[in-house]
Amino acid sequence: MEQAIESQLLEISLGPQHPSTHGVFRMNATLDGETIVKLKPVMGYLHRNHEQIGESISYIASFPFTDRLDYFSAMSNNLGLAIAIEQLGGIPVSERGEYVRVIMAELTRLVNHTAVTGFLINDMGAFGTPLLYAFREREKILDLFEAASGSRMMCNYVRPGGVREDVPAGWLAQAKQLVDGYPRFLDEFEMLLTDNEIIRQRTQGVGVLSKELAVNASVTGPMLRATGVNYDIRKVDGYSIYPRFAFKIPLGSAGDVYDRYYVRILEMRESVKILQQALKQIPDSGPAISPKGLAIGKAPRTFRPAKGDAYGRIEAPKGELGFYLVSDGSPQPYRYHVRAPSFVNLTVLEDMCLGQKVADTIIILGSVDIVLGEVDR
């Protein structure tokens, strides 16, 4: 009888409404004591029919919907779709527009990595200073987004050929002031976290993802680089004007929760370098969108690209975000498909959780950095 009791397995369900699941996400876990022996991710609670909608409206009309994919990274989402449309329609991008787009994309990376780090520490049970520090800095960047686009989160700002409208007077100076002060915040953040003994004990050796599995599962972004794989689409594809800037690709080695945390910290420091260069090099004048761009004044339904297909991808904060478009010559895409990093990166969750404790599973999920709008498209 004692042996039978000891060998009993317990099945529990975390979510879909649970503070640790980062949205309407569910984990069905099988436990031996407190150890995970099986884990099944369950998703689909937030399906919004995004791709089907994209095939029934004009190309430009999809931009507000991309904002909702990853609401922490709206500017990056806009950029990914814009690049795909530009490839499909042969649309050039204005010089000033390129710089504004890169500035917005790297500010978005700061927003995302700052927030996910605060959430990760919160998942460990340390609510307070780190999360509040993170959201304090995030608010400053959202103020800049609001000044440029009129919205703090659902920006709907980038357009094929550039951006919807130029940044207002004084915006670049405010952005420079924020960027120049960001390393001080990162120093404070690291002083609290990086060498903290409790955080190291909770994260090192936890949720290890091997380099081989990461590559085979098509994992991208900070999760992939934390395993030591040097792959960043900004370097690999050299899209937009990223080849003009000097920056490094931070890498981890162990592929555990700690490395995923620290790679994001180092990536923020590299984003600051890119922003400083972009803010210094941006042309003083010139159109924010090219003459052939899909500006808001043009009737978007007149855009009928030739038959063909295109795949535009970017290094979004969470990994490779790609948009695959197929044109049949009509004003609407024949096929509209999103390659979302949150969904792909989530496929290795069970592999990272097997043999771990329940409490560790929570921070492993947090270190993946998912947004359910991107998982359930």
Side-chain angles (χ1 to χ4, degrees), residues 188-256:
E188 292 177 348
F189 221 33
E190 283 210 69
M191 193 181 302
L192 284 171
L193 306 176
T194 300
D195 293 322
N196 187 294
E197 183 179 352
I198 298 174
I199 289 176
R200 283 182 175 269
Q201 287 179 347
R202 285 295 313 276
T203 58
Q204 289 183 329
V206 173
V208 174
L209 176 63
S210 70
K211 184 183 298 187
E212 294 74 22
L213 178 57
V215 172
N216 290 338
S218 299
V219 170
T220 54
M223 275 190 69
L224 176 65
R225 291 187 286 275
T227 68
V229 178
N230 189 352
Y231 186 84
D232 187 305
I233 299 172
R234 293 173 296 178
K235 292 282 191 181
V236 174
D237 287 1
Y239 65 90
S240 187
I241 54 172
Y242 277 105
R244 301 182 188 180
F245 307 123
F247 64 100
K248 299 176 182 177
I249 306 302
L251 302 176
S253 56
D256 55 14

Side-chain angles (χ1 to χ4, degrees), residues 105-342:
E106 294 308 312
L107 286 173
T108 298
R109 202 176 312 277
L110 293 181
V111 166
N112 183 88
H113 288 0
T114 300
V116 73
T117 302
F119 285 133
L120 178 62
I121 305 305
N122 186 54
D123 287 341
M124 295 180 201
F127 177 79
T129 304
L131 182 61
L132 297 178
Y133 272 26
F135 270 72
R136 180 194 66 190
E137 299 305 311
R138 174 175 175 262
E139 286 299 305
K140 297 176 184 177
I141 299 177
L142 295 188
D143 286 344
L144 289 174
F145 287 170
E146 183 179 22
S149 70
S151 176
R152 298 171 65 78
M153 293 182 68
M154 309 305 175
C155 301
N156 186 21
Y157 183 63
V158 178
R159 288 289 183 273
V163 293
R164 193 179 69 207
E165 56 188 352
D166 205 347
V167 293
W171 190 95
L172 293 173
Q174 293 175 11
K176 185 178 186 305
Q177 184 179 6
L178 182 146
V179 169
D180 289 342
Y182 221 81
R184 178 180 176 182
F185 157 68
L186 292 175
D187 291 342
E188 292 177 348
F189 221 33
E190 283 210 69
M191 193 181 302
L192 284 171
L193 306 176
T194 300
D195 293 322
N196 187 294
E197 183 179 352
I198 298 174
I199 289 176
R200 283 182 175 269
Q201 287 179 347
R202 285 295 313 276
T203 58
Q204 289 183 329
V206 173
V208 174
L209 176 63
S210 70
K211 184 183 298 187
E212 294 74 22
L213 178 57
V215 172
N216 290 338
S218 299
V219 170
T220 54
M223 275 190 69
L224 176 65
R225 291 187 286 275
T227 68
V229 178
N230 189 352
Y231 186 84
D232 187 305
I233 299 172
R234 293 173 296 178
K235 292 282 191 181
V236 174
D237 287 1
Y239 65 90
S240 187
I241 54 172
Y242 277 105
R244 301 182 188 180
F245 307 123
F247 64 100
K248 299 176 182 177
I249 306 302
L251 302 176
S253 56
D256 55 14
V257 172
Y258 184 84
D259 274 6
R260 291 193 280 277
Y261 148 75
Y262 196 48
V263 160
R264 290 185 175 102
I265 293 290
L266 296 178
E267 283 191 6
M268 284 193 279
R269 294 193 182 276
E270 295 304 314
S271 289
V272 168
K273 293 179 184 178
I274 294 171
L275 284 163
Q276 288 173 335
Q277 295 171 75
L279 288 165
K280 184 178 181 180
Q281 297 174 19
I282 185 171
D284 293 331
S285 59
I289 190 167
S290 69
K292 294 184 178 180
L294 299 185
I296 210 158
K298 288 186 177 182
R301 290 192 178 276
T302 62
F303 177 64
R304 296 171 179 265
K307 292 182 179 181
D309 63 343
Y311 179 67
R313 64 176 188 166
I314 63 166
E315 185 64 43
K318 293 173 172 60
E320 178 181 339
L321 173 64
F323 290 85
Y324 177 64
L325 302 175
V326 178
S327 170
D328 60 358
S330 70
Q332 296 87 29
Y334 173 77
R335 181 72 176 100
Y336 175 105
H337 174 66
V338 182
R339 192 269 186 210
S342 289

